[in-house]
Amino acid sequence: MGTLGKAIYTVGFWIRDRGQALDRLGCGFQGKYYFKEQCIADDGGNPAKFLSNLTEEEIAFISQSAISYSNLAQVHAAANAKSFDEIEFEKVLHKKKKSSP
């Protein structure tokens, strides 16, 4: 496979991989903390091979991670909603706090 073919294959892999992660994250944002995984394929080869079912601990971790990502997204959205002037004003305040003993 030539270089262009490898590049296209790699981009396709990234899209598939990130798409599945976005599906799980989207379910979390909608309050649906259960996303049925067909299998886990971590370093399982290409094509992926079934390695194991998710444990209860892994399911709980994924649910908690979705909540954390949702909270982080809200903080990020609030920070990005600030105007340029608000950001510059906060920078000035921050510098004043750093310079005062």
Side-chain angles (χ1 to χ4, degrees), residues 22-77:
L22 289 174
D23 280 345
R24 288 190 296 273
L25 186 60
C27 287
F29 285 153
Q30 296 172 26
K32 299 174 185 171
Y33 300 115
Y34 179 76
F35 181 82
K36 185 173 183 177
E37 289 279 353
Q38 297 299 322
C39 68
I40 287 189
D42 188 23
D43 299 323
N46 191 9
K49 296 174 185 151
F50 179 80
L51 296 178
S52 66
N53 289 321
L54 291 173
T55 65
E56 292 299 320
E57 184 178 290
E58 290 170 326
I59 292 169
F61 175 78
I62 291 169
S63 297
Q64 185 59 43
S65 293
I67 292 168
S68 297
Y69 281 120
S70 176
N71 293 338
L72 180 61
Q74 291 171 1
V75 170
H76 182 72

Side-chain angles (χ1 to χ4, degrees), residues 80-96:
N80 284 314
K82 294 179 184 175
S83 70
F84 177 77
D85 292 333
E86 289 174 309
I87 294 170
E88 292 300 312
F89 180 70
E90 287 180 0
K91 284 181 184 178
V92 171
L93 288 178
H94 184 69
K95 284 182 183 178
K96 285 184 180 179

